[in-house]
Amino acid sequence: MTAVVAGVGQTRFTRRAGDSEATLATRAIVAALRDAQVEPADVDGIVRCDRDAVWEYDLPGVLGIRALHFYNAVPLGAGATPALLRMAAMAVTEGLATTVLCHHARDGIVRATPPPAVEAAWLARLHDISEADVARVTLAHRRAAARNPKALARRLLTAADRRRSPYVAEPLRRVDLAVPAAGACAFVVTASERTRRPAPRILASMQAAVPSATRHASEWFVGAPLDHIARAARAMFAAARVRPADVDVACVNADASALVPLALRLYRVARARVNPHGGQLCEAALDGVNDVVEAVRQLRGDAANPVRGARLALAAGSLLEPTAAVLLGRPRSP
Amino acid sequence: MLPPLPAPNQDTQEFWDGCRRHELRIQRCAVCGTHRFAPRPACPACTSLRFAWITCSGHGSVHTWTVIHGPTLAAFQAQTPYAAGVVRLDEGVFMVGQIRGCDPHAIRAGLRVTVEFDDVADDVALPHWRVA
């Protein structure tokens, strides 16, 4: 049995906080159920992020959802959201649930959590990622976002424009760092036999817990930093029976531009189109959940900047948190 | 304006007490001798639960760093631009901190540094690094 992403939903993305997390999540969930052509009463499982406002007991009794028999929370952080699909796929293939709803919302209120600028800058130095590399990533993301009506940072930048942006933590300037956004995304995961429309298949997934630099500096920096992510990635590709070079679209976390070349190196993705939606940097910073939506849409052909003939997509969370990634395959033709 | 102050727990109290006396305290495994930081119950090398606290030499070298311009926490904003990085202590563990005592742009990997402490409150001192 193959688990598929039967539907996706998302709200408008905004810079400014307005609606509550609950309202945003509900809008995305309604859109995902509609997109999947699933009856709310069929939903029997849910996976959320552990710090979200909408919990498993908030949903039964609303939206036509009756009762949940599988519920789980993945640890929130910008690395977590691909794990929503990992947990949902596990529930479906193990027969724990038939129709699993995944959601994540952010109300856009900036909290005490510092941006990942400093850790990303340290990693850039350790891995010889130069300011020129960072600039290339930022400019490319702006070019992609300029053609994505949903994106929040759509103004094209020249290298000179970028140099006028102040440093936050060298070599990262303000425009090289994502600005927190408000919005929500949701998915419906079910077995391939149950879907009414062509649905991207969840081929394999991974999680890798990365000790945080500030909490456990020693372990983060000993040996080859982040090597455990590379090892988990190799196992994921092997489980999916595909090669990194086969990836057509790579939606990797771009909370800081320096993280993008590093992610491509760790996942050994060579020729994929990277973040055709503009990524966390330019579409919206929503803990990566919209990167997963983009991977799904690319395989269905309804992305804003479609990559022609895309058959294999990678969505990978931030390298700075307990991270997760998922490999999605194009829908099987009926 | 005070920087964020530590909230010691049973595992980290000794480290922060040491800082107050301007001593850098880390754990050393009583079985295999491996040093570890941050403080924790077991040895990452041999899993032994037996350990002793030692006082570090306070010397190390810069492993990685960045120059921070902010926006950052209010307590640090007035100091920008300043360098902050990861130092590899001669005992083999890594610690995060500000790197002071030279032009931040003169910092290179391997630069030798020594620990120093700021007394930020009556009973709290915070470590940082000074170029040797």
Side-chain angles (χ1 to χ4, degrees):
Chain A
M1 185 198 296
T2 307
V4 298
V5 184
V8 294
Q10 69 211 86
T11 62
R12 206 163 60 87
F13 305 142
T14 57
R15 279 253 189 267
R16 220 179 281 174
D19 297 308
S20 72
E21 257 188 63
T23 297
L24 291 166
T26 305
R27 282 193 197 130
I29 289 168
V30 168
L33 291 170
R34 225 172 260 161
D35 184 58
Q37 300 171 35
V38 155
E39 289 304 318
D42 292 338
V43 172
D44 57 355
I46 187 166
V47 187
R48 62 177 173 91
C49 294
D50 62 357
R51 275 180 268 159
D52 278 12
V54 176
W55 283 29
E56 42 280 345
Y57 45 64
D58 294 321
L59 285 174
V62 297
L63 302 173
I65 294 170
R66 287 191 190 139
L68 301 170
H69 303 290
F70 174 85
Y71 31 90
N72 201 345
V74 300
L76 177 61
T81 44
L84 293 170
L85 294 193
R86 177 173 170 85
M87 296 300 149
M90 179 189 75
V92 166
T93 55
E94 293 296 313
L96 308 176
T98 63
T99 308
V100 181
L101 188 60
C102 310
H103 63 82
H104 176 53
R106 258 187 101 124
D107 60 12
I109 295 168
V110 181
R111 301 210 161 75
T113 323
V118 173
E119 286 167 320
W122 288 342
L123 276 181
R125 191 87 64 180
L126 279 175
H127 291 269
D128 295 319
I129 289 163
S130 68
E131 182 157 355
D133 298 331
V134 169
R136 267 192 294 278
V137 171
T138 299
L139 269 49
H141 278 66
R142 286 293 183 108
R143 281 195 299 275
R147 299 187 309 271
N148 174 6
K150 289 194 294 280
L152 295 176
R154 303 183 57 206
R155 195 169 62 81
L156 285 173
L157 284 185
T158 64
D161 293 335
R162 180 188 163 275
R163 278 195 301 273
R164 278 192 288 276
S165 171
Y167 277 124
V168 174
E170 296 179 26
L172 298 170
R173 296 175 183 271
R174 198 170 291 167
V175 295
D176 304 321
L177 294 159
V179 180
C185 297
F187 312 92
V188 175
V189 174
T190 183
S192 51
E193 306 86 81
R194 301 176 72 93
T195 54
R196 303 219 174 117
R197 57 175 294 177
R201 292 166 294 140
I202 300 171
L203 301 179
S205 62
M206 56 165 262
Q207 287 175 292
V210 188
S212 145
T214 41
R215 289 190 59 195
H216 298 288
S218 296
E219 279 61 38
W220 206 57
F221 289 103
V222 161
L226 309 183
D227 193 42
H228 49 303
I229 297 179
R231 279 200 303 275
R234 283 197 291 277
M236 173 177 69
F237 280 104
R241 298 202 180 94
V242 293
R243 294 170 308 150
D246 299 331
V247 174
D248 299 301
V249 183
C251 301
V252 302
N253 180 278
D255 277 345
S257 292
L259 297 176
V260 172
L262 195 48
L264 297 177
R265 240 184 260 177
L266 288 168
Y267 286 91
R268 308 175 85 171
V269 166
R271 53 154 202 95
R273 269 280 292 284
V274 177
N275 291 339
H277 57 320
Q280 298 299 287
L281 188 66
C282 296
E283 186 183 60
L286 291 170
D287 302 308
V289 72
N290 46 325
D291 294 343
V292 186
V293 170
E294 174 68 10
V296 172
R297 290 202 185 282
Q298 285 291 349
L299 297 167
R300 305 194 322 189
D302 64 347
N305 299 317
V307 175
R308 203 174 297 188
R311 301 157 61 92
L312 181 65
L314 167 72
S318 172
L319 308 174
L320 299 177
E321 318 257 0
T323 200
V326 61
L327 280 171
L328 298 170
R330 195 166 62 170
R332 284 251 160 77
S333 15
Chain B
M1 173 80 66
L2 281 179
L5 297 178
N9 64 22
Q10 296 93 320
D11 294 331
T12 60
Q13 187 72 49
E14 177 66 23
F15 174 79
W16 295 112
D17 287 351
C19 287
R20 211 172 52 207
R21 302 188 304 267
H22 293 199
E23 292 173 4
L24 200 57
R25 303 277 283 164
I26 62 169
Q27 291 163 300
R28 182 178 185 274
C29 176
V31 173
C32 76
T34 301
H35 294 108
R36 62 183 189 255
F37 184 82
R40 72 200 73 165
C43 175
C46 77
T47 73
S48 167
L49 299 173
R50 290 174 47 220
F51 66 89
W53 287 92
I54 64 142
T55 301
C56 293
S57 66
H59 302 300
S61 49
V62 172
H63 186 62
T64 186
W65 77 100
T66 181
V67 182
I68 294 177
H69 295 254
T72 180
L73 297 171
F76 300 128
Q77 193 60 48
Q79 302 170 32
T80 59
Y82 62 87
V86 179
V87 167
R88 185 181 200 276
L89 275 68
D90 290 352
E91 287 79 6
V93 303
F94 294 75
M95 280 189 203
V96 165
Q98 280 193 26
I99 302 165
R100 299 183 193 163
C102 75
D103 173 358
H105 292 104
I107 294 172
R108 294 290 175 269
L111 187 70
R112 295 292 291 167
V113 292
T114 305
V115 73
E116 267 188 1
F117 296 87
D118 281 333
D119 295 309
V120 295
D122 280 349
D123 53 352
V124 181
L126 301 177
H128 61 266
W129 305 93
R130 182 163 293 276
V131 174

